[in-house]
Amino acid sequence: MPETKHTTSLMPYASSGDFHRIFNEENDSLHGLSFLLTADREKAEQCFVSGLQESVNGSPVFKEWAHAWARRTIIQNAVRVINPRPVKEQAPSRFDSGGTTLAVEQVEKAAVLQLEPFERFVYVISVLERYSDLDCSVLLGCEERDVIAARIRAFEQIEMQSTFTLRAQ
């Protein structure tokens, strides 16, 4: 008689060790995400640490979702710290590259950091992290149309800034 395999439909949950491993192995990527969202090293570190703590101590998550959950906790912490809101008027940028020459891949990051907080969050969450407009609007507590409009503005500003920076070099 053939041996019967018993399978279970239950997926194992991620352990605190799983999250520690993820945050260790993806340290650069998760810090990068946090910095792109906050545009501030101290706030980025705060979001990273809070993201680890919430991942470890929060609600159980299926093991195969742990990587996405770690990134999401960092996004949620950055939203709480920065509280980006749609704005009607465009304020001047606060990021300055310090006059240093930037490599091509750094140009995009510098351009993202020059975006206003809401546009920066929308760009990072919807374009770089590939969240849907609906998910992005839920995370940011705004309308989908605000997300769409902010993404268009972000693309325009990044293109304009990247073109200007590359020509200046």
Side-chain angles (χ1 to χ4, degrees), residues 69-85:
W69 189 258
R71 298 185 80 75
R72 187 176 183 90
T73 60
I74 286 178
I75 292 169
Q76 290 171 320
N77 278 291
V79 169
R80 279 194 291 272
V81 168
I82 303 298
N83 191 29
R85 308 286 0 120

Side-chain angles (χ1 to χ4, degrees), residues 45-160:
E45 185 64 25
Q46 176 186 348
C47 292
F48 179 88
V49 171
S50 296
L52 173 59
Q53 290 172 341
E54 287 179 26
S55 294
V56 168
N57 300 323
S59 300
V61 177
F62 290 129
K63 194 175 235 179
E64 66 182 42
W65 297 353
H67 291 272
W69 189 258
R71 298 185 80 75
R72 187 176 183 90
T73 60
I74 286 178
I75 292 169
Q76 290 171 320
N77 278 291
V79 169
R80 279 194 291 272
V81 168
I82 303 298
N83 191 29
R85 308 286 0 120
V87 292
K88 302 296 181 215
E89 297 178 28
Q90 297 298 318
S93 170
R94 293 177 303 278
F95 179 79
D96 180 14
S97 66
T100 59
T101 303
L102 302 172
V104 175
E105 61 272 359
Q106 293 175 314
V107 170
E108 181 184 18
K109 286 181 183 179
V112 171
L113 292 170
Q114 290 184 10
L115 295 171
E116 289 302 310
F118 187 74
E119 284 74 14
R120 187 175 63 244
F121 271 75
V122 167
Y123 183 82
V124 171
I125 295 170
S126 71
V127 177
L128 301 181
E129 294 295 310
R130 296 186 171 126
Y131 278 71
S132 70
D133 290 344
L134 177 60
D135 287 341
C136 189
S137 70
V138 168
L139 281 166
L140 294 172
C142 65
E143 300 289 328
E144 281 185 75
R145 68 175 179 254
D146 295 328
V147 168
I148 294 166
R151 187 174 48 246
I152 291 168
R153 287 191 306 273
F155 274 124
E156 290 170 347
Q157 292 170 21
I158 288 170
E159 180 180 356
M160 185 172 50

